[in-house]
Amino acid sequence: MRNHFWQTKSLLEMNEAEWEALCDGCGKCCYRKYIQGHGKRQKLYYTRIACDLLDVKTGKCGNYPERFKLETDCTKLTKKNLPDFHWLPQTCAYRLIYEGKPLPHWHPLISGDPNSVKNAGILIADGVHEKDVIDWFEFVIDAC
Ligand code: SF4
């Protein structure tokens, strides 16, 4: 990986290792979201309901190698499908680079510290697992 590759290469030019390194490991994409309404009235709701595989304390997947087998709606983020992921959180490195924005100071590629994401308070607090939830609406934390 070349130093500061995210500033010199486009997402399409990144190799596999660089693409993977962009993920800050926040785990926010592994929390449930839902859309209500249509057209101009459409709203996207973010919740603190985590995928059952997610370790809500660390933001890491509990079974990364087998995640697609165990969670059938788990989707791999790729260069090809990134434009469909408009629901990614605003702090997500893929979204930031896609929108031409800089990475934040707490991103491990900048801080050099894998704990800087947690220390900066980026992880979702009080996450609950989907299997323990009945009414999703009670766990909404944001909407746009
Ligand atoms: S939201 Fe983005 S940066 Fe965070 S874990 Fe998901 S893909 Fe990685």
Side-chain angles (χ1 to χ4, degrees), residues 3-118:
N3 268 349
H4 290 232
F5 65 87
W6 62 94
Q7 292 172 327
T8 56
K9 287 184 171 187
S10 71
L11 286 167
L12 287 177
E13 289 166 340
M14 289 180 193
N15 62 36
E16 192 63 24
E18 291 165 341
W19 177 265
E20 289 294 322
L22 257 196
C23 177
D24 61 37
C26 70
K28 282 180 173 178
C29 54
C30 303
Y31 282 80
R32 301 302 184 196
K33 302 136 197 92
Y34 64 93
I35 291 173
Q36 240 181 13
H38 298 282
K40 283 185 181 168
R41 290 177 180 222
Q42 185 171 290
K43 244 184 163 171
L44 171 60
Y45 292 90
Y46 292 87
T47 78
R48 58 184 177 88
I49 305 168
C51 162
D52 288 334
L53 277 186
L54 190 75
D55 180 329
V56 294
K57 294 270 185 285
T58 63
K60 303 283 176 285
C61 181
N63 195 338
Y64 197 72
E66 296 203 73
R67 64 196 189 284
F68 298 123
K69 210 161 79 185
L70 297 170
E71 288 293 328
T72 47
D73 60 349
C74 182
T75 314
K76 188 172 170 62
L77 183 62
T78 65
K79 295 174 187 178
K80 206 172 159 192
N81 65 18
L82 183 61
D84 300 332
F85 284 68
H86 51 88
W87 49 262
L88 282 168
Q90 288 181 4
T91 59
C92 175
Y94 297 98
R95 180 167 174 175
L96 290 170
I97 300 289
Y98 185 73
E99 294 176 350
K101 295 174 181 164
L103 293 182
H105 66 90
W106 46 260
H107 193 289
L109 284 171
I110 295 181
S111 67
D113 175 5
N115 294 319
S116 56
V117 182
K118 189 171 186 182

